[in-house]
Amino acid sequence: MTTQATAFTLLHHIQQTKPELTSQFEKLLEATITIADQIKTAGLGNILGQAGHQNSFGEDVQKLDEFSHNLLTNTLLQDKNVSAVISEEREEPIYSENKDGEYNVFMDPLDGSSNIDPTALSVLSSQFITKKADCCRKEKTSLPLDM
């Protein structure tokens, strides 16, 4: 099954099970297509190489990371259902102005981007969508030390 067929199968499933997420998923598909187009033509523009700063894990951010982060974040925050975007590229969540958003999106906008310049290996964009109340609670929890 092609990536496009898989995406449309997933879109159909979302339309049937979570219709409120349909427009968000369609916008994510459009954004990832734009990212894929940028990757294909990256050598023709000024989008390869390092952006000059580090992400929340201390890794050097690539220009493609920054482009992908900005595009996906702006796309997601335009959706009325999104409350916040939590990205590997930022230390703090980015909150929507819409206080009624029910979902938070955790993402790595472009995983593997440091592999593009020297090797042209595969990359991916990953998002995890969860209900706001399920992940962002006020009380802090700690993990047992013997894990």
Side-chain angles (χ1 to χ4, degrees):
M1 185 177 278
T2 67
T3 303
Q4 187 176 24
T6 302
F8 288 113
T9 300
L10 182 56
L11 177 58
H12 179 73
H13 176 73
I14 288 171
Q15 289 170 334
Q16 302 301 312
T17 60
K18 292 281 186 190
E20 73 273 16
L21 295 179
T22 300
S23 76
Q24 181 179 348
F25 187 75
E26 287 172 338
K27 291 174 188 172
L28 280 173
L29 279 176
E30 290 173 18
T32 55
I33 289 168
T34 300
I35 292 167
D37 289 343
Q38 285 294 317
I39 291 170
K40 289 178 195 171
T41 61
L44 302 175
N46 187 24
I47 200 160
L48 288 178
Q50 294 183 1
H53 58 279
Q54 295 181 329
N55 67 15
S56 61
F57 294 101
E59 301 164 339
D60 290 329
V61 174
Q62 303 295 311
K63 291 178 183 178
L64 278 167
D65 288 320
E66 192 72 15
F67 172 81
S68 301
H69 167 81
N70 291 338
L71 178 62
L72 289 169
T73 299
N74 291 335
T75 298
L76 289 164
L77 292 178
Q78 290 174 11
D79 191 288
K80 65 182 171 80
N81 292 308
V82 175
S83 173
V85 175
I86 299 88
S87 172
E88 178 188 49
E89 305 306 326
R90 300 291 183 267
E91 289 195 24
E92 298 293 325
I94 302 164
Y95 294 97
S96 170
E97 292 180 12
N98 176 16
K99 305 295 182 204
D100 297 327
E102 294 184 47
Y103 295 93
N104 288 328
V105 181
F106 295 80
M107 69 175 183
D108 183 349
L110 193 61
D111 191 29
S113 60
S114 61
N115 297 327
I116 291 174
D117 286 355
T119 60
L121 291 175
S122 296
V123 295
L124 66 96
S125 177
S126 59
Q127 295 86 27
F128 174 73
I129 302 169
T130 184
K131 284 276 196 178
K132 181 169 55 175
D134 293 341
C135 68
C136 296
R137 303 184 192 284
K138 290 185 181 180
E139 69 271 32
K140 293 188 177 197
T141 58
S142 58
L143 296 174
L145 295 175
D146 60 348
M147 284 188 65

